[in-house]
Amino acid sequence: AELAPEGACAAALALSDDLLAVGTEGGVLLFSIPQLQPLADFRCGGAVRAVAFSQDGALLAGSFAGVEGDGPQAQTAVWRVSQTSRGCSYLGGALSNDAAQGLSFSPDGEMLAISGGTSGVHLVRIGEQLEPAQSFRTSSAATSIAWSPDGQRLVSGEDARASLWDAASGRLLRRLPPERGRVACVSCAARDARVVCAELGGAVVRVCSFEA
């Protein structure tokens, strides 16, 4: 099957629930797969920069740039989603000064990590609404974020380096030496000490270790 939504700029799969989310210039489109049947059209206040599903496919997050004006200029929204349009609903949103470039749900789906450019990394707790939980001040613009499989640590990609954090306290545990190119995305392996870093522009993917 093939899909060509106008203005598509981000996408994510929830293989556990056969769902596809596509971020566009005006919102997030939700489809069932493999038929690509439309399920929902979540309208947003700007171009969607990133989308992500929780591991069980029950939650969907999307970040978008807000309209010009005073105060926060970006928002990350979270929706409950399912294979039926009636099962989809808006849960809440979190405001920030920078449009998020990376989104990642904790393994248990109770927290959402938002890498927000120059504002660092922010954690929000997901309940009846979204509540701020923790913030990480990164050394440079945070471009991507990933949880360790046990949910205890986070890895952030920050321009030319990656950093390892304690999720509960926000304490910086270790930073990798700078790479040649910008770190475009990160992913944690089963062992917390290993991380995959993909560099933007250099067509390089590295498996790095935080171990001394």
Side-chain angles (χ1 to χ4, degrees):
E2 187 173 304
L3 190 67
E6 185 177 354
C9 45
L13 282 171
L15 297 179
S16 59
D17 207 23
D18 293 334
L19 295 172
L20 167 67
V22 179
T24 70
E25 293 296 328
V28 178
L29 305 176
L30 184 67
F31 302 88
S32 63
I33 52 176
Q35 298 87 359
L36 296 181
Q37 177 180 350
L39 296 175
D41 182 355
F42 303 117
R43 292 288 87 192
C44 299
V48 176
R49 304 292 181 84
V51 290
F53 283 101
S54 59
Q55 288 191 8
D56 62 3
L59 297 173
L60 169 65
S63 68
F64 55 94
V67 297
E68 293 184 1
D70 296 332
Q73 299 298 303
Q75 181 173 353
T76 296
V78 176
W79 300 272
R80 296 192 186 278
V81 294
S82 74
Q83 280 281 354
T84 64
S85 57
R86 291 184 178 181
C88 300
S89 61
Y90 176 73
L91 183 60
L95 296 174
S96 62
N97 291 321
D98 297 313
Q101 300 184 50
L103 300 169
S104 182
F105 284 95
S106 61
D108 59 12
E110 295 181 358
M111 304 280 282
L112 175 66
I114 305 168
S115 58
T118 57
S119 63
V121 175
H122 307 281
L123 301 186
V124 293
R125 184 171 289 105
I126 300 170
E128 293 300 321
Q129 58 186 3
L130 304 188
E131 300 178 357
Q134 187 64 265
S135 293
F136 308 80
R137 299 305 303 179
T138 54
S139 61
S140 57
T143 56
S144 55
I145 190 74
W147 290 83
S148 64
D150 60 8
Q152 296 183 8
R153 298 181 181 183
L154 281 160
V155 173
S156 62
E158 308 158 31
D159 285 344
R161 68 169 71 229
S163 299
L164 182 68
W165 307 85
D166 179 80
S169 66
R171 183 169 61 94
L172 175 64
L173 301 176
R174 190 175 175 84
R175 278 198 169 103
L176 288 176
E179 300 290 348
R180 291 191 299 272
R182 176 187 173 195
V183 177
C185 63
V186 292
S187 179
C188 283
R191 299 176 182 175
D192 289 345
R194 292 190 300 161
V195 58
V196 176
C197 299
E199 296 180 12
L200 184 66
V204 176
V205 176
R206 301 180 187 277
V207 178
C208 309
S209 175
F210 283 102
E211 293 176 341

